[in-house]
Amino acid sequence: VGGNDGMLHALDARTGLEVWAFIPFNLLPKLKALQSGQSLDAFKYYVDSSHKIPDVKVDDEWRTYLFFGQGPGGTFYNTLDVTLDDIADAVAEDATNTSTLLAHFADPDAIQWKWSFPRLTSFDPEAFDATKGVYGELSTAALAVEQSIGETWSDPAIGQVVSTAGPYVMVVGSGYLKYSVQSTYRTGATRSGTTFYVFNVKNGTVLGSKDVGADSVAETNNRPRTGQRRTRSPRGRQRSLPI
């Protein structure tokens, strides 16, 4: 589960114990905001997105990978190898000794980080503007395709493409990016938040990307556009709700 404390938390489903947690590199500078509390009018998000845990074939070997974004909390997707090759040898299925379970995950190699998009080397932790909610941003040296990323809202789609011999890929969108961030930190020719990506799950290589374009409506707003949908109240009257 993702938490607005900056961590992705992993719970053992049988015992309910938390066995590991992961803090994305780009969220480390943002942790300082937790000291100030979370006001309703300036709430800080962190790991606030959906994740996928599929089996994928990497170098002709089946692995279990975990893919997740950060929703409104950040602009990175991360990939972890959560296969747990030797868990059955270390912890029996009916074991009640939780210390053995926790000892297994105390090994830092039990869960391995594989790759992120954008690359970690493209992140500048010194870029800081708390008034705009910026606690680190992409550096000017980031690739153009990396500069096109927005807040990572997408629910990753994972699968094999082309043929049964083709690569396993992750398909996601670039998400929304606040205008204040775009106009301050992404001032090059690249437009952020309108790109569709296909990644090789093995190493995060961008196999393809497509800018789907902008509609030029409310482009300078600092929050996602809202529309209205019609719904009926219990008594049959119609009312409008923001979406």
Side-chain angles (χ1 to χ4, degrees):
V1 293
N4 278 323
D5 56 357
M7 303 181 194
L8 179 73
H9 299 273
L11 310 178
D12 178 67
R14 184 168 57 86
T15 64
L17 287 176
E18 180 171 2
V19 290
W20 59 268
F22 176 81
I23 304 175
F25 176 71
N26 67 298
L27 294 183
L28 287 172
K30 196 175 183 180
L31 296 181
K32 67 178 69 177
L34 293 171
Q35 300 179 44
S36 303
Q38 300 285 35
S39 62
L40 293 178
D41 60 342
F43 192 82
K44 305 295 188 301
Y45 296 91
Y46 291 83
V47 184
D48 196 64
S49 67
S50 299
H51 62 272
K52 282 290 177 64
I53 310 179
D55 290 334
V56 296
K57 186 174 281 189
V58 178
D59 293 332
D60 292 326
E61 181 184 3
W62 284 104
R63 309 295 297 172
T64 303
Y65 275 16
L66 185 154
F67 306 87
F68 70 101
Q70 298 165 356
T75 59
F76 276 70
Y77 289 104
N78 278 276
T79 300
L80 307 176
D81 186 336
V82 295
T83 308
L84 302 180
D85 294 298
D86 56 352
I87 186 69
D89 296 329
V91 183
E93 292 184 1
D94 57 353
T96 58
N97 186 345
T98 56
S99 61
T100 303
L101 175 67
L102 296 177
H104 177 78
F105 286 98
D107 180 355
D109 292 327
I111 304 297
Q112 297 185 11
W113 175 87
K114 304 305 292 185
W115 56 268
S116 74
F117 181 84
R119 299 164 300 165
L120 299 186
T121 54
S122 297
F123 181 69
D124 178 11
E126 301 299 324
F128 179 84
D129 188 339
T131 63
K132 295 179 179 179
V134 176
Y135 299 87
E137 240 295 321
L138 294 183
S139 69
T140 55
L143 300 175
V145 69
E146 294 176 312
Q147 292 280 353
S148 68
I149 194 73
E151 294 172 353
T152 47
W153 292 68
S154 283
D155 183 2
I158 314 296
Q160 191 175 29
V161 295
V162 181
S163 70
T164 56
Y168 277 79
V169 302
M170 177 176 81
V171 178
V172 292
S174 59
Y176 164 80
L177 190 68
K178 294 180 177 65
Y179 176 74
S180 60
V181 176
Q182 171 79 63
S183 59
T184 303
Y185 296 97
R186 311 275 185 93
T187 55
T190 300
R191 176 174 54 214
S192 302
T194 59
T195 300
F196 178 80
Y197 309 101
V198 179
F199 299 101
N200 189 325
V201 301
K202 176 182 176 180
N203 51 24
T205 300
V206 181
L207 298 177
S209 64
K210 175 66 176 178
D211 186 342
V212 299
D215 58 11
S216 300
V217 176
E219 295 294 331
T220 60
N221 281 0
N222 212 30
R223 59 187 298 175
R225 277 188 293 143
T226 59
Q228 286 189 330
R229 61 181 173 89
R230 306 297 293 182
T231 187
R232 288 189 177 275
S233 68
R235 296 183 180 180
R237 294 191 300 271
Q238 289 190 333
R239 57 198 175 110
S240 296
L241 296 176
I243 58 173

